[in-house]
Amino acid sequence: TMAPGAGATVTITSVSTPTVSTGLSSTGATTPSPTILSWQATDPNGDSLVYSLYVKASDENDWHLLKDKLQQTSFALDPAALADGRYMAKIVASDENSNPPALAREDTLLSAPFWIDHTPPQIQMQSKKEAAGGFEIHFRAEDDTSPLSSAEFSVDGKEWSDVNSDDGIVDSRSETFSIRVENPAPGEHV
């Protein structure tokens, strides 16, 4: 505890950019992964800190309290808690549990914007053709909510391989891709 005016502070040093991914279960159903929010905070005189976590959609003005009195410096958002969209988080750190109300201090930090996107991109086959010693596939992937960040392909359910978009970087809501498969086994492939 410090005397009033002695410059007591609570500092939040960073908030990691939350991430979310969408996977497919063995039944083919979409299974959203949780969004993990994490941060670091310190109190100069070693007081214990508690946190309040708020979120808001990018088009909203008001913050919505998700969790109060958090003791840990991370929180897993329930995948179904928020609709698809762009959000920000606000962390409020306080040393209120270690000080009388008049001496308690707090600090606030906003996260970078992040996407919640439970809906997988739509894939549209543009062309497929046999080429010498293999075949080529050209397709478009499009997501209504957030920018695409990666793409993979697999032949016959075997090892997955990363694929770059035709423009060289997967970074927008709509991308085109070209895949060449060399020397496939005879027969049909998936």
Side-chain angles (χ1 to χ4, degrees):
T1 308
M2 299 182 77
T9 60
V10 172
T11 305
I12 302 175
T13 56
S14 70
V15 173
S16 63
T17 302
T19 58
V20 66
S21 62
T22 301
L24 294 178
S25 71
S26 58
T27 62
T30 300
T31 308
S33 300
T35 299
I36 307 296
L37 299 164
S38 63
W39 58 94
Q40 298 173 348
T42 58
D43 183 273
N45 60 344
D47 290 342
S48 65
L49 298 174
V50 293
Y51 308 97
S52 298
L53 173 61
Y54 299 83
V55 295
K56 72 172 187 155
S58 62
D59 62 348
E60 293 180 322
N61 293 320
D62 297 331
W63 291 96
H64 307 282
L65 179 64
L66 278 184
K67 188 73 174 173
D68 201 15
K69 309 292 184 200
L70 281 165
Q71 301 292 320
Q72 68 275 13
T73 57
S74 65
F75 184 80
L77 288 172
D78 175 357
L82 300 172
D84 285 1
R86 188 174 185 192
Y87 292 87
M88 288 182 66
K90 177 171 77 170
I91 308 295
V92 179
S94 173
D95 63 1
E96 65 191 39
N97 288 352
S98 299
N99 294 289
L103 299 177
R105 301 288 186 254
E106 67 178 37
D107 195 10
T108 301
L109 185 68
L110 302 179
S111 75
F114 61 95
W115 294 98
I116 299 293
D117 190 352
H118 304 299
T119 309
Q122 297 295 313
I123 308 297
Q124 302 162 351
M125 183 70 66
Q126 293 184 314
S127 68
K128 54 184 174 180
K129 62 182 177 182
E130 288 188 33
F135 57 89
E136 291 181 8
I137 298 174
H138 302 274
F139 65 94
R140 174 177 298 281
E142 200 163 332
D143 193 295
D144 290 336
T145 303
S146 64
L148 302 169
S149 60
S150 65
E152 302 176 297
F153 76 98
S154 172
V155 177
D156 298 330
K158 295 187 177 148
E159 184 177 333
W160 287 87
S161 300
D162 291 331
V163 59
N164 259 337
S165 60
D166 291 341
D167 68 1
I169 184 166
V170 183
D171 64 350
S172 64
R173 289 185 182 173
S174 180
E175 296 282 358
T176 58
F177 299 88
S178 299
I179 299 169
R180 178 163 173 78
V181 177
E182 301 288 340
N183 304 316
E188 293 184 356
H189 301 277
V190 292

